Amino acid sequence: NTVAAKQLNEQQLATLKSWLQHDDGKTEETATAMSPLASRKWTVMPSSVRSIGAIDVSVDGTYAAIAQANRVQIVDLSDPSKRVSLVDETVPGGNAADFDVIQAIRFAPDGKTLVTGGYRAIRIWSKTISSEPSESVSWKLKMMVGGPDSDVFADRVMAIEIHPDGKRVVVGGGLPSRSGEIRWIDLDTGAVIQRPSWSHADCVNSLRFSPNGELLASASVDETIGIWNASTDQAVRSLEG
């Protein structure tokens, strides 16, 4: 020890050993299980966090969904003063739709379902119209798929795309600098219906179906674009940036 470095104690040595073992061949699932983020206690997101992470417009052009930090507003484009906030009552502080920043949002083709993506989870929201005392629109949380302590998604959800049939949603994300992932989810039940064997070497941050739903394109931080057969999961073409 020629630089007068302090000796590590037993706990520090054990932590260092676990890091080295992880980098020497541990699987993605093991890395997720080891992550301390799953057991964090979530607090209220500061109001100073105001960046807009995602936006989408319903197919009929009636509504815009705007994700700002961990909050979402549905704006009536015919009268922007009419706004509805999405609220997950389990999130600290109220008036928020997720524990963490929302970076992906998508309307279903029928405009009655909205999917938002946050930290290791997506939330599926349903639109309801009340007739009493006057016609008004509200959005209620139907279900959450995944969660901070779940292994459905490895990390933050970065991309969401809904199949033209309105029955399935494709979710992109992954572990930064380690792997990309794509998950197919049933919009009605929330079940994972496909875990494709193909993916990318880094996070997937954009997804898009062809109009007929036969092809899926995925873009990744690894500077590649994948074109896939949406029925068979087979690669059709790979493009490099």
Side-chain angles (χ1 to χ4, degrees), residues 29-197:
E29 289 76 14
T30 302
T32 300
M34 291 172 61
S35 172
L37 294 175
S39 59
R40 280 187 175 178
K41 182 178 180 180
W42 295 92
T43 58
V44 178
M45 183 169 290
S47 59
S48 58
V49 180
R50 300 183 56 81
S51 60
I52 295 175
I55 188 170
D56 194 29
V57 176
S58 60
V59 174
D60 64 4
T62 302
Y63 299 103
I66 304 169
Q68 186 172 24
N70 67 337
R71 303 174 291 278
V72 175
Q73 284 195 329
I74 309 297
V75 180
D76 187 330
L77 292 178
S78 66
D79 182 359
S81 67
K82 295 180 179 179
R83 301 184 174 215
V84 177
S85 295
L86 303 189
V87 177
D88 180 345
E89 296 181 355
T90 68
V91 177
N95 202 37
D98 204 296
F99 296 105
D100 203 357
V101 172
I102 296 168
Q103 295 177 289
I105 194 165
R106 187 73 70 211
F107 280 105
D110 64 4
K112 297 178 181 179
T113 300
L114 182 74
V115 183
T116 60
Y119 175 67
R120 298 182 73 176
I122 62 170
R123 286 169 172 79
I124 301 174
W125 308 81
S126 296
K127 175 179 142 182
T128 59
I129 300 177
S130 61
S131 56
E132 297 292 341
S134 61
E135 187 173 292
S136 61
V137 175
S138 62
W139 291 81
K140 302 296 183 183
L141 179 60
K142 179 180 178 181
M143 70 180 77
M144 181 174 71
V145 181
D149 58 350
S150 169
D151 63 355
V152 176
F153 306 108
D155 207 285
R156 287 179 175 83
V157 170
M158 304 295 293
I160 293 172
E161 175 70 328
I162 297 179
H163 192 273
D165 66 11
K167 297 178 180 179
R168 296 166 289 169
V169 58
V170 184
V171 181
L175 287 168
S177 300
R178 293 185 180 275
S179 64
E181 70 175 6
I182 296 175
R183 300 284 185 262
W184 289 69
I185 308 292
D186 186 298
L187 266 178
D188 185 47
T189 66
V192 178
I193 53 178
Q194 285 176 270
R195 289 177 180 259
S197 57

